């Protein structure tokens, strides 16, 4: 037993995992040994899910069967849609609505209480992963005063989500762009939301509980919420016609943090940010609309000149993802739920992997409260 205190568990090893590795010094991310660059450019989100859940990349036949099984689970019970409707009517935030609906999904899964069987966990995980896009798209449609669009099992995970969101089949570029974003967000070591899911799983609670907890953890501005914050900053700059560099100067003068910069593990630019920046450049080139690219580039160049990037506070995945989602017409407050839609795959993989050789996660706190306090009964206080 050690009494060394590691605030925020920084640098602490708590488990072994075959799933993903983040090298923060050189800016490298791998899923089961495969570089994220290769996966983002060459593999679909379904292939990545298969890799994470089943240990290897699928053959074409394995992928077809896996994708069909996943697509077959997209429908959600009418009761869930009615709840989503009620949450939208009440003005609930999308991440909170997703958290509530994901928790509710377990009521319609006969296997939901099976937590000690890894294969059952993956089957439940498949249902959760398939249904989250349906829930999210229904929430967005209802909020816009439209009716939910039923899932199309013939479309890919990415294509079907965009279809359910808009009611129109996406073009190839949009589908491929969104699929790439899903792949980039699928897993990332023991980040806060994954660790949350694992802590819950380590009690041998079911995977619905783990994913619901993961959504809660991801919602915060220090984690998944940063992509929305970045886009809100870009909109604020645009609406005020302010120079983006001036916005950053003002923010830093006020002691504020720049959303989309800094990371607990990366000390250089996040490799996912590099890939998304390149994608944003391609999209801007083909549309001719370079506004978000111009703003983000100006901010990054300024902060690089200021030495911030050299100090290890470099662009992370959230700095560029919002601008890419904006090009797909996705509303700003759906960005973090989309992150959850992808990361659910990673949460499920980690819960299943950890439960295979489970040990309850139970750290300690250094007690700093008073000692030997004399108890005074209520009526004498
Ligand atoms: N802007 C300005 N300064 C920063 C920033 C930033 N975005 N991030 C860190 N710093 C500074 C911080 O002020 C501190 O300086 P000092 O030592 O002088 O007090 C130093 O860097 C170390 O910061 P820290 O808070 O100890 O580092 P951390 O490892 O706890 O923080 C972080 C990681 C992600 C919480 C933080 O960088 C941050 O708040 N970034 C903005 C929010 C954000 O973009 N989050 C998304 C993270 S990546 C995707 C994801 O995980 O979901």
């Amino acid at each position: 037993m050690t009494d060394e205190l590691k605030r925020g568990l920084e640098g602490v090893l708590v488990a072994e995992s075959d799933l993903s590795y983040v090298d923060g010094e050189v800016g490298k991310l791998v899923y089961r040994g495969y570089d994220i660059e290769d996966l983002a450019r060459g593999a679909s989100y379904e292939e990545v899910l298969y890799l994470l859940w089943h240990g290897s990349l699928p053959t074409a036949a394995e992928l077809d069967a896996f994708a069909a099984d996943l697509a077959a689970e997209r429908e959600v019970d009418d009761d869930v849609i009615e709840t989503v409707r009620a949450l939208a009517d009440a003005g609930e935030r999308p991440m909170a609505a997703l958290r509530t609906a994901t928790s509710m999904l377990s009521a319609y899964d006969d296997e939901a209480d099976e937590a000690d069987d890894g294969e059952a966990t993956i089957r439940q995980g498949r249902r959760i992963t398939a249904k989250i896009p349906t829930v999210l798209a229904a929430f967005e449609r209802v909020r816009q005063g439209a009716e939910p669009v039923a899932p199309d099992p013939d479309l890919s995970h990415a294509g079907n989500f965009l279809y359910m969101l808009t009611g129109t089949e996406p073009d190839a570029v949009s589908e491929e762009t969104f699929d790439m974003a899903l792949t980039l967000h699928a897993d990332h070591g023991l980040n806060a939301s994954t660790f949350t899911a694992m802590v819950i799983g380590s009690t041998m609670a079911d995977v619905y509980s783990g994913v619901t907890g993961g959504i809660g953890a991801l919602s915060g501005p220090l984690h998944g919420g940063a992509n929305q914050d970045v886009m809100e900053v870009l909109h604020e700059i645009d609406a005020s016609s302010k120079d983006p560099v001036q916005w950053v100067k003002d923010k830093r003068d006020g002691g504020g943090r720049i959303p989309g910069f800094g990371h607990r593990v990366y000390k250089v630019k996040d490799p996912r940010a590099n890939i998304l920046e390149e994608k944003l450049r391609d999209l801007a080139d083909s549309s001719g609309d370079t506004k978000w690219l111009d703003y983000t580039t100006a901010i990054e160049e300024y902060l690089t000149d200021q030495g911030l990037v050299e100090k290890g506070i470099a662009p992370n995945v959230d700095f560029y993802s919002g601008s890419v989602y904006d090009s797909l017409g996705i509303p700003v407050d759906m960005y973090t739920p989309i992150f959850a839609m992808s990361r659910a795959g990673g949460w499920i993989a980690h819960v299943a992997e950890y439960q295979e050789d489970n040990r309850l996660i139970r750290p300690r706190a250094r007690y700093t409260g008073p000692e030997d306090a004399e108890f005074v009964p209520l009526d004498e206080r």
Side-chain angles (χ1 to χ4, degrees), residues 169-306:
E169 272 192 42
D171 59 51
V173 172
S174 302
E175 182 176 352
E176 181 238 315
T177 301
F178 192 61
D179 180 77
M180 175 189 260
L182 292 180
T183 289
L184 290 176
H185 288 85
D187 200 31
H188 205 242
L190 296 200
N191 57 87
S193 57
T194 300
F195 188 58
T196 302
M198 278 172 60
V199 170
I200 294 172
S202 85
T203 70
M204 295 312 281
D206 65 279
V207 70
Y208 283 90
S209 303
V211 173
T212 304
I215 294 170
L218 187 69
S219 66
L222 298 189
H223 193 5
N227 56 10
Q228 178 172 337
D229 292 348
V230 172
M231 205 60 215
E232 282 169 358
V233 166
L234 299 182
H235 277 293
E236 186 188 321
I237 290 169
D238 198 43
S240 62
S241 307
K242 209 173 193 176
D243 175 10
V245 168
Q246 191 57 48
W247 185 93
V248 175
K249 282 182 184 160
D250 292 347
K251 184 80 176 169
R252 297 202 70 210
D253 287 349
R257 291 187 173 204
I258 311 302
F261 271 74
H263 198 277
R264 176 61 64 80
V265 184
Y266 291 119
K267 299 303 163 217
V268 294
K269 191 168 172 181
D270 182 333
R272 302 166 300 173
N274 280 320
I275 297 168
L276 285 168
E277 182 187 2
E278 198 182 308
K279 178 52 86 179
L280 182 60
R281 257 176 222 291
D282 289 349
L283 293 167
D285 279 352
S286 52
S287 70
D289 182 355
T290 60
K291 188 168 62 184
W292 300 145
L293 180 66
D294 293 344
Y295 293 176
T296 45
T297 307
I299 293 171
E300 185 177 340
E301 280 176 4
Y302 171 73
L303 290 175
T304 305
D305 287 348
Q306 293 294 303

Side-chain angles (χ1 to χ4, degrees), residues 35-365:
D35 195 288
I36 194 64
E37 293 247 357
D38 295 332
L39 293 171
R41 293 182 215 293
S44 65
Y45 179 68
E46 282 90 332
E47 281 173 83
V48 166
L49 278 184
Y50 189 99
L51 174 69
L52 292 174
W53 294 353
H54 299 297
S56 60
L57 285 170
T59 62
E62 285 167 341
L63 180 62
D64 280 353
F66 177 79
D69 287 348
L70 186 70
E73 300 281 9
R74 286 179 183 153
E75 303 249 348
V76 302
D77 195 276
D78 287 346
D79 289 351
V80 177
I81 296 291
E82 285 317 307
T83 299
V84 163
R85 215 182 272 282
L87 292 167
D89 287 349
E92 183 58 290
R93 298 146 299 153
M95 268 307 257
L98 178 63
R99 188 195 62 222
T100 302
T102 302
S103 178
M104 186 177 178
L105 288 173
S106 76
Y108 305 91
D109 186 337
D110 294 339
E111 281 191 306
D113 58 351
E114 298 229 3
D116 52 0
D117 169 352
E119 285 182 17
T121 299
I122 293 296
R123 281 197 299 277
Q124 293 164 48
R126 191 172 66 206
R127 291 180 200 118
I128 298 171
T129 307
K131 291 179 199 316
I132 282 180
T134 312
V135 164
L136 278 180
F139 179 83
E140 178 56 23
R141 301 266 316 165
V142 171
R143 201 164 61 142
Q144 301 298 335
E147 276 305 298
V149 172
D152 181 345
D154 293 330
L155 297 177
S156 68
H157 198 70
N160 175 62
F161 175 69
L162 296 176
Y163 164 67
M164 291 190 296
L165 203 60
T166 61
T168 311
E169 272 192 42
D171 59 51
V173 172
S174 302
E175 182 176 352
E176 181 238 315
T177 301
F178 192 61
D179 180 77
M180 175 189 260
L182 292 180
T183 289
L184 290 176
H185 288 85
D187 200 31
H188 205 242
L190 296 200
N191 57 87
S193 57
T194 300
F195 188 58
T196 302
M198 278 172 60
V199 170
I200 294 172
S202 85
T203 70
M204 295 312 281
D206 65 279
V207 70
Y208 283 90
S209 303
V211 173
T212 304
I215 294 170
L218 187 69
S219 66
L222 298 189
H223 193 5
N227 56 10
Q228 178 172 337
D229 292 348
V230 172
M231 205 60 215
E232 282 169 358
V233 166
L234 299 182
H235 277 293
E236 186 188 321
I237 290 169
D238 198 43
S240 62
S241 307
K242 209 173 193 176
D243 175 10
V245 168
Q246 191 57 48
W247 185 93
V248 175
K249 282 182 184 160
D250 292 347
K251 184 80 176 169
R252 297 202 70 210
D253 287 349
R257 291 187 173 204
I258 311 302
F261 271 74
H263 198 277
R264 176 61 64 80
V265 184
Y266 291 119
K267 299 303 163 217
V268 294
K269 191 168 172 181
D270 182 333
R272 302 166 300 173
N274 280 320
I275 297 168
L276 285 168
E277 182 187 2
E278 198 182 308
K279 178 52 86 179
L280 182 60
R281 257 176 222 291
D282 289 349
L283 293 167
D285 279 352
S286 52
S287 70
D289 182 355
T290 60
K291 188 168 62 184
W292 300 145
L293 180 66
D294 293 344
Y295 293 176
T296 45
T297 307
I299 293 171
E300 185 177 340
E301 280 176 4
Y302 171 73
L303 290 175
T304 305
D305 287 348
Q306 293 294 303
L308 209 73
V309 174
E310 209 182 330
K311 270 175 49 191
I313 306 163
N316 61 53
V317 66
D318 291 328
F319 192 59
Y320 286 103
S321 58
S323 304
V324 170
Y325 297 146
D326 186 73
S327 75
L328 301 175
I330 297 173
V332 176
D333 62 359
M334 292 296 278
Y335 296 175
T336 313
I338 286 169
F339 193 159
M341 169 178 159
S342 164
R343 184 58 57 83
W347 295 331
I348 290 154
H350 279 276
V351 169
E353 182 189 58
Y354 191 78
Q355 285 181 338
E356 261 176 40
D357 184 22
N358 194 66
R359 181 146 176 87
L360 176 72
I361 298 173
R362 203 301 187 191
R364 295 181 304 135

